[in-house]
Amino acid sequence: MTTPNSLDTAADSTEPVVRLGAGAVRGRLEDGLAVFRGIPFAEPPVGEDRFQAPRPVRGWEGVRDAFEFGPPPPQESGIQGRTGVLEGPTGDDWLTVNVWTPEPGSAARRPVMVYIYGGAYKLGHSGSPGYDAQHIARDGDLVVVTLNYRVGIEGFARIEGAPANRGLLDQVAALEWVRDNITAFGGDPEQVTVFGESAGAGSVAALLVMPSAAGLFRRAIAQSVPGTFFSDELAADMAAAMAAEAGLRPTATDLATVDPRELPALGEALAPKMTQHEDRWGSVVHTLTPFSPVVDGEVLPTTPWQGLAAGAARDVELIVGHNRDEYRLFVVLAGRLGQLGEEDAATALRRFGPGPDAEQAYRAAFPDASAGELYERVQTDWLFNMPSLHLAEAQLAGGGRAHVYELTWPAPGLGGVLGACHGLDIPLLFGTFTADLGNLLFAEVEPSPEALALSSRFRASWTAFARTGDPGWPAYDTEHRPVQVLDAEPVVTAYPEEASRRLWEGYTFPALPLAP
């Protein structure tokens, strides 16, 4: 662990100091906000603690400078415009939080928003420039927390001698830190909203039904929820294949012999070979990742859809939504836009569609769609859109309330070919148009007044929800199906993807099984 600085009486007196349970931290004033970076919420998960549940951080003497983001957790190389090689501090203090607050120490008790990054459960770092939360905190006059959690093998591989879903347990530990410490930053621990995108949204969905997370947040926002949750058997089989890449057993003891920074290479080595296991692992071999939350029966007792329908989070207010053209990003990154033929469409429809007659049903529902459009449509539906919609419907079935949105405004980068693709909501929400994924989605294009207005609307809706539970549009119901469409001219209308909704009506998103 990094040794904190001792009390420096010569330090700038304008630098805010906050006293926490573990010790004092010193942040910086930046454009009207106090910002604290790299505060540890748990002990470094290395040595005897490697592959174990996070342990509370030990205290420190004096005042610890909280000026820099903590080191990224070990992870694979790039995807979605991000990179696994991240600039920043090195070391083992992966489990840190960052706080943006208008007024630390205030008695105002502002609402708190806690962000969980995406990255296919194998990438991500809260210090990435795209997650700079200053605009959310400033525009919403609230406290924003971002956090690191273990990804890849360290966080999600199902291995012997270790609890499942260590990455999710890290998130719970960070939320416990928020509960215990956020008052010192002027936040209200009774008004916590957790929000995340892609794998971060899948994490939010999991947290909604995890017993250990109960009571740690009042509201939740899930942006583009992936439908891939693994059964215990599937996850264990995939972990065994990864360990075998290094001639190891899938145990904490064996894997601990590999340096944490070298371990992600096992996942990378397996990725191009995943399709060889399709007969056992199913459609997930055609995704970008061998990692997902594991329905192990203990840490995660059920899938989010099953748990919400049973009322696990009926008292948690929820926003859930997706982007219209989610899968377009992956088609473009693969260089296949305009290159997809009828055979590609037929294979995708049979592989990802709901039920044995999915190909015929999709072709009948979208008679004018090209082969490329069908290929994208079914994968958008299977991977993100229908899991997101069904999460809202499960929440209603369990006696709760949900607000649903769809982003339809197209990304301007690359000549506008990306549409309203996966990840577009991140730069719009954070206002980070030239960082990380924003570099691609807004490539060589200055944000237009239209983009800036939509970005402002995103933040206004999300922060209003964090403050009041009302994002500014009606709650979803299964009769009228009101949905906020986010575009240049936002409107509330009946769910726009009705053809897809009907195709997937009655489908359940089970924990993906291991085939015999």
Side-chain angles (χ1 to χ4, degrees):
M1 176 181 292
T2 303
T3 302
N5 293 343
S6 59
L7 183 60
D8 182 359
T9 56
D12 186 345
S13 61
T14 64
E15 292 176 339
V17 173
V18 168
R19 301 195 178 277
L20 311 175
V25 290
R26 178 186 292 113
R28 284 186 167 143
L29 293 178
E30 300 177 7
D31 298 325
L33 294 173
V35 184
F36 301 80
R37 297 179 173 91
I39 305 171
F41 65 83
E43 283 293 291
V46 295
E48 292 183 357
D49 293 335
R50 194 163 174 206
F51 302 117
Q52 300 307 308
R55 290 198 302 113
V57 66
R58 292 190 295 267
W60 56 83
E61 299 294 329
V63 180
R64 181 189 186 112
D65 285 344
F67 297 161
E68 290 188 319
F69 293 110
Q75 56 194 264
E76 295 184 24
S77 56
I79 192 175
Q80 300 177 21
R82 302 169 187 153
T83 176
V85 181
L86 298 165
E87 294 183 1
T90 58
D92 300 328
D93 267 327
W94 313 327
L95 302 183
T96 58
V97 292
N98 319 293
V99 183
W100 287 256
T101 175
E103 198 176 359
S106 167
R109 292 291 189 98
R110 288 172 168 82
V112 181
M113 298 188 73
V114 180
Y115 185 71
I116 302 174
Y117 52 73
Y121 304 105
K122 66 178 183 179
L123 293 175
H125 172 38
S126 62
S128 296
Y131 303 138
D132 183 344
Q134 62 169 309
H135 299 297
I136 300 175
R138 188 177 295 114
D139 291 3
D141 189 34
L142 42 69
V143 180
V144 182
V145 178
T146 65
L147 61 96
N148 278 359
Y149 63 95
R150 283 171 283 182
V151 295
I153 295 176
E154 297 285 342
F156 288 96
R158 188 66 169 111
I159 57 179
E160 184 182 334
N165 301 303
R166 297 170 297 282
L168 298 179
L169 292 175
D170 294 344
Q171 296 166 18
V172 171
L175 287 167
E176 291 172 338
W177 181 93
V178 168
R179 177 195 62 198
D180 297 339
N181 293 283
I182 206 64
T183 302
F185 296 92
D188 184 352
E190 301 297 322
Q191 289 263 64
V192 174
T193 298
V194 62
F195 66 125
E197 181 268 348
S198 194
S203 297
V204 168
L207 291 168
L208 285 166
V209 299
M210 286 173 60
S212 60
L216 293 176
F217 53 93
R218 181 174 177 179
R219 302 183 177 103
I221 305 174
Q223 303 168 210
S224 305
V225 181
T228 51
F229 279 65
F230 292 170
S231 67
D232 216 26
E233 297 77 14
L234 174 62
D237 203 60
M238 297 177 85
M242 276 181 273
E245 292 293 325
L248 301 173
R249 297 172 301 166
T251 67
T253 301
D254 272 25
L255 291 171
T257 64
V258 183
D259 185 278
R261 289 152 195 82
E262 297 176 4
L263 195 59
L266 301 186
E268 289 183 296
L270 177 65
K273 305 175 185 177
M274 284 177 62
T275 54
Q276 299 173 11
H277 301 272
E278 185 170 11
D279 59 332
R280 289 172 61 78
W281 298 349
S283 297
V284 74
V285 303
H286 298 284
T287 67
L288 295 166
T289 179
F291 305 104
S292 280
V294 181
V295 181
D296 67 305
E298 184 176 349
V299 175
L300 183 58
T302 181
T303 67
W305 301 273
Q306 184 180 5
L308 289 189
R314 64 166 60 96
D315 295 328
V316 178
E317 295 165 315
L318 177 65
I319 290 177
V320 62
H322 55 69
N323 305 346
R324 181 186 58 202
D325 310 307
E326 295 271 7
Y327 204 75
R328 178 75 56 82
L329 176 68
F330 308 106
V331 173
V332 170
L333 291 179
R336 304 199 69 190
L337 188 65
Q339 308 298 315
L340 295 159
E342 286 298 330
E343 185 175 345
D344 297 306
T347 298
L349 291 167
R350 291 192 294 266
R351 180 178 288 151
F352 300 108
D357 301 321
E359 181 181 359
Q360 292 79 8
Y362 258 87
R363 291 187 185 277
F366 299 96
D368 299 324
S370 67
E373 289 168 340
L374 288 170
Y375 178 90
E376 283 184 33
R377 183 77 264 154
V378 70
Q379 295 193 74
T380 287
D381 288 344
W382 173 74
L383 192 54
F384 295 114
N385 286 15
M386 293 304 106
S388 298
L389 178 67
H390 283 215
L391 195 75
E393 296 188 341
Q395 177 72 334
L396 268 65
R401 186 177 71 168
H403 297 262
V404 178
Y405 74 89
E406 180 179 52
L407 174 62
T408 57
W409 186 81
L414 302 185
V417 301
L418 288 160
C421 68
H422 188 64
L424 177 58
D425 44 319
I426 298 174
L428 286 172
L429 174 59
F430 283 87
T432 49
F433 300 103
T434 59
D436 297 342
L437 199 54
N439 280 325
L440 174 68
L441 303 180
F442 291 83
E444 301 178 1
V445 178
E446 285 291 322
S448 64
E450 187 177 279
L452 294 172
L454 182 56
S455 178
S456 179
R457 176 176 286 272
F458 249 105
R459 288 191 294 280
S461 294
W462 267 224
T463 57
F465 177 74
R467 190 175 297 281
T468 68
D470 181 3
W473 72 86
Y476 187 80
D477 66 70
T478 54
E479 180 180 359
H480 303 290
R481 305 188 188 280
V483 170
Q484 174 69 73
V485 175
L486 292 164
D487 210 319
E489 295 293 335
V491 296
V492 176
T493 186
Y495 183 64
E497 313 303 336
E498 178 66 9
S500 292
R501 187 196 69 79
R502 288 183 176 275
L503 288 169
W504 289 82
E505 194 168 25
Y507 182 85
T508 59
F509 285 89
L512 298 177
L514 176 68

